[in-house]
């Protein structure tokens, strides 16, 4: 158990809908990362937050947004969902903003039908 | 920008064979380097890491040495087991963490 908690574990929704994925980082970790893992594109970095502020942005679509709240939990919002958004979404956390080990949650499986 | 390139899989080996998974990186500064492992149905777990040139990370019989001159961080294990079957990711961090595409390893008895 990494200490990173993600909910829900599985989610099935229809195209055009909106979903929210939630992440609670390890106790004491200030940095949260979101990744998307799909069969054809591997592990893609989406976005990083550090202590509530956006720190780095990767290949995140405009239909997707995220935020980190004062209690340090984070949410990833996915809207206008398409079939191609079906993937495993991972949250990870670390103590510092860079250079150190990050710890992954077990992921949220999103299936868009 | 920073990136990682690792050998494509899948890799299939017999038990007790020697394993090498190549990883090279591109970075503007001096990143920390990592190997993560993902077992079926699970999230990624840290396998080993190195934070500066010539450092060797090791864990569970796996090793990798941070080679600045060749910008490489190859993963090796002298004798693989069936339980090592997983997907292995090389990664670097100068800010956010960037991952390679992953290499699927299957070890057969």
């Amino acid at each position: 158990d990494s200490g990173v908690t993600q909910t829900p574990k599985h989610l099935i929704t229809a195209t055009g809908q909106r979903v929210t994925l939630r992440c609670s980082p390890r106790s004491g970790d200030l940095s949260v990362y979101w990744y998307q893992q799909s069969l054809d594109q591997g592990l893609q970095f989406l976005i990083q937050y550090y202590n509530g502020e956006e720190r780095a942005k990767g290949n995140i679509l405009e239909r997707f947004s995220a935020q980190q709240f004062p209690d340090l939990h984070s949410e990833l919002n996915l809207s206008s969902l398409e079939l191609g958004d079906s993937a495993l979404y991972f949250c990870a956390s670390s103590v510092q903003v860079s250079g150190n080990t990050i710890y992954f949650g077990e992921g949220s499986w999103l299936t868009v039908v | 920008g920073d990136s990682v390139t690792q050998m494509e899989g899948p890799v299939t080996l017999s038990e007790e064979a020697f394993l090498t998974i190549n990883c090279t990186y591109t970075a503007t500064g001096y990143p920390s380097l990592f190997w993560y492992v993902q077992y079926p149905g699970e999230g990624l777990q840290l396998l080993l890491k190195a934070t500066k040139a010539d450092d060797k990370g090791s864990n569970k019989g796996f090793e990798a040495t941070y080679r600045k001159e060749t910008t490489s961080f190859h993963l090796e294990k002298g004798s693989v087991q069936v339980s090592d079957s997983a997907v292995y990711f090389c990664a670097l961090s100068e800010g956010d963490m960037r991952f390679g595409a992953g290499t699927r390893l299957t070890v057969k008895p």
Side-chain angles (χ1 to χ4, degrees):
Chain A
D1 183 6
S2 67
V4 179
T5 303
Q6 290 187 246
T7 57
K9 292 195 186 313
H10 297 90
L11 188 57
I12 301 174
T13 191
T15 55
Q17 295 298 304
R18 171 190 170 96
V19 299
T20 297
L21 309 181
R22 182 187 168 99
C23 170
S24 294
R26 291 189 325 153
S27 177
D29 284 0
L30 298 179
S31 194
V32 170
Y33 309 74
W34 286 98
Y35 291 86
Q36 179 193 58
Q37 186 176 37
S38 56
L39 286 176
D40 58 347
Q41 292 199 345
L43 194 64
Q44 298 289 319
F45 167 68
L46 296 179
I47 198 164
Q48 178 195 5
Y49 282 84
Y50 179 76
N51 204 20
E53 300 292 325
E54 183 182 303
R55 179 67 176 81
K57 186 176 279 192
N59 301 320
I60 189 167
L61 300 172
E62 287 192 7
R63 299 183 286 109
F64 296 179
S65 64
Q67 55 183 327
Q68 186 180 27
F69 294 87
D71 67 353
L72 301 178
H73 91 273
S74 178
E75 293 181 356
L76 178 66
N77 300 296
L78 315 175
S79 62
S80 302
L81 285 167
E82 303 175 358
L83 295 178
D85 297 327
S86 296
L88 184 55
Y89 291 85
F90 284 112
C91 172
S93 72
S94 65
V95 173
Q96 297 173 3
V97 68
S98 66
N100 54 320
T101 303
I102 67 173
Y103 296 88
F104 281 78
E106 294 188 350
S108 293
W109 276 104
L110 173 66
T111 301
V112 183
V113 296
Chain B
D2 293 358
S3 65
V4 173
T5 301
Q6 62 182 101
M7 66 184 281
E8 302 210 1
V11 174
T12 302
L13 296 173
S14 298
E15 206 164 24
E16 299 185 3
F18 184 85
L19 169 71
T20 299
I21 301 178
N22 290 335
C23 171
T24 57
Y25 68 90
T26 302
T28 53
Y30 303 95
S32 295
L33 300 175
F34 304 80
W35 277 100
Y36 280 78
V37 58
Q38 184 180 27
Y39 298 103
E42 299 183 12
L44 280 71
Q45 305 171 25
L46 176 68
L47 181 59
L48 53 85
K49 70 176 184 180
T51 57
K52 62 183 187 297
D54 299 326
D55 268 2
K56 176 185 283 189
S58 61
N59 186 26
K60 300 180 181 180
F62 291 89
E63 294 183 341
T65 301
Y66 190 143
R67 302 286 189 199
K68 186 170 179 294
E69 63 277 11
T70 55
T71 62
S72 65
F73 193 55
H74 304 322
L75 182 68
E76 296 182 337
K77 186 175 185 181
S79 176
V80 293
Q81 306 300 312
V82 172
S83 57
D84 294 326
S85 297
V87 181
Y88 292 82
F89 292 90
C90 185
L92 68 78
S93 177
E94 270 192 298
D96 57 273
M97 182 86 71
R98 301 291 173 137
F99 288 82
T103 302
R104 182 175 300 278
L105 169 67
T106 302
V107 180
K108 297 189 173 181

